[in-house]
C-alpha cells in the first residue's frame, strides 16, 4: 500500500508557477486551464475592487485570460512570472472598461440633454429622431444580458468588426453575428413600435 501511495504522489503533483508560465507561452491549453484555476480569483478580485461585483468584473476577468492567451507570444517567462504578467493585462482591461463606461455615460448624458432641450433649441426633426433612437438603443442595452450587451457595445461604441469582436471575446464568429442580428431585429421592432406611437 505504501508503494501505491508513493507512485500516486508524483502523478498528483501540480506544476509550479514557472512551469505553468513556460507551458502557457508554448501554447499548452492545459496550462491556460491551470492558470485560470490558479489566478482567476486574484484577477477577479482586482476587477471587483475596480467596479464592484457584477458583469463588468466578470467580463474583465474573462477578457484578461482571453487576451493573455491570444497575446501569449508577448509573454516572456525570463522577464517575470506569469501571474505578474496577467495582473498587467488585467490593469489594461480595467482601464479599457473605465474608458468604455465613461464614453457611455457621456453619450447618455448628451442624449438626455438633447432630449430635454426645448423646441426652440432643436435644429431639425431629424435630430429629434436621432436623439430618441439613441435613447432607445441605450435603454434596450440595459435589458440585454451578457454576452449580447458586450458584443453590441463593442460593435457600436468601439466600432469593432465582427471578426475583431470574435477575437476580443473568444466567441465563434457565427455566434457574434447571430447575437448582433437578433439584437438589431429587437431594436428595429422597438423603434418601429415606438415611432408609430410617437406619430399616432
Amino acid at each position: 500500500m505504501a508503494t501505491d501511495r508513493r507512485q500516486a504522489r508524483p502523478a498528483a503533483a501540480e506544476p509550479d508557477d514557472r512551469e505553468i508560465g513556460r507551458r502557457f507561452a508554448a501554447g499548452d491549453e492545459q496550462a491556460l486551464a491551470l492558470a485560470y484555476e490558479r489566478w482567476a480569483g486574484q484577477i477577479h478580485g482586482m476587477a471587483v475592487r475596480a467596479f464592484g461585483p457584477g458583469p463588468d468584473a466578470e467580463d474583465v476577468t474573462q477578457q484578461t485570460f482571453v487576451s493573455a492567451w491570444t497575446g501569449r507570444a508577448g509573454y516572456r517567462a525570463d522577464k517575470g512570472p506569469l501571474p505578474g504578467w496577467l495582473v498587467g493585462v488585467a490593469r489594461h482591461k480595467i482601464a479599457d472598461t473605465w474608458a468604455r463606461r465613461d464614453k457611455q455615460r457621456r453619450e447618455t448624458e448628451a442624449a438626455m440633454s438633447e432630449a430635454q432641450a426645448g423646441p426652440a433649441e432643436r435644429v431639425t426633426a431629424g435630430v429629434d429622431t436621432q436623439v430618441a433612437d439613441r435613447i432607445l438603443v441605450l435603454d434596450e442595452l440595459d435589458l440585454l444580458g451578457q454576452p449580447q450587451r458586450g458584443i453590441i457595445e463593442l460593435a457600436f461604441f468601439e466600432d469593432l468588426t465582427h471578426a475583431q469582436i470574435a477575437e476580443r471575446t473568444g466567441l465563434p464568429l457565427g455566434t457574434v453575428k447571430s447575437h448582433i442580428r437578433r439584437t438589431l431585429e429587437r431594436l428595429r421592432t422597438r423603434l418601429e413600435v415606438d415611432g408609430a406611437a410617437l406619430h399616432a
Side-chain angles (χ1 to χ4, degrees):
M1 294 298 290
T3 305
D4 291 343
R5 280 198 298 272
R6 280 199 301 273
Q7 288 174 345
R9 194 171 297 133
E14 289 192 357
D16 61 16
D17 293 358
R18 185 183 300 275
E19 175 66 10
I20 291 176
R22 185 190 66 75
R23 287 166 53 184
F24 185 95
D28 183 343
E29 291 185 6
Q30 186 182 19
L32 170 62
L34 286 168
Y36 187 87
E37 181 181 308
R38 193 164 293 188
W39 297 302
Q42 177 185 355
I43 300 302
H44 186 255
M46 286 176 61
V48 167
R49 285 193 294 278
F51 306 111
D56 279 338
E58 292 168 12
D59 288 347
V60 163
T61 304
Q62 180 183 348
Q63 289 169 16
T64 295
F65 283 90
V66 169
S67 181
W69 180 248
T70 56
R72 61 188 177 276
Y75 169 64
R76 295 284 303 277
D78 56 340
K79 299 288 185 183
L82 182 60
W85 187 69
L86 290 171
V87 165
V89 175
R91 287 194 180 117
H92 283 293
K93 294 303 173 187
I94 288 169
D96 289 347
T97 302
W98 274 121
R100 175 176 57 78
R101 275 184 160 196
D102 186 55
K103 184 178 179 183
Q104 284 180 248
R105 179 186 57 76
R106 284 185 279 110
E107 288 178 343
T108 303
E109 287 174 356
M112 292 302 290
S113 69
E114 286 178 38
Q116 292 166 358
E121 299 174 45
R122 292 173 176 161
V123 181
T124 64
V127 173
D128 289 347
T129 304
Q130 289 172 5
V131 171
D133 288 354
R134 195 184 316 170
I135 291 171
L136 284 174
V137 169
L138 291 167
D139 188 40
E140 191 68 23
L141 281 179
D142 287 337
L143 303 177
L144 291 176
Q146 295 294 350
Q148 292 93 332
R149 175 171 179 158
I151 290 169
I152 291 297
E153 287 172 347
L154 290 173
F156 290 98
F157 295 125
E158 297 190 29
D159 296 322
L160 298 187
T161 65
H162 292 170
Q164 288 171 327
I165 294 170
E167 184 177 346
R168 177 82 68 90
T169 61
L171 294 169
L173 182 58
T175 301
V176 169
K177 288 181 177 179
S178 65
H179 278 317
I180 290 176
R181 186 180 64 253
R182 284 197 298 270
T183 304
L184 289 178
E185 285 170 359
R186 282 181 56 185
L187 285 172
R188 188 181 303 113
T189 301
R190 180 163 177 192
L191 289 171
E192 287 171 356
V193 171
D194 286 24
L198 188 66
H199 294 101

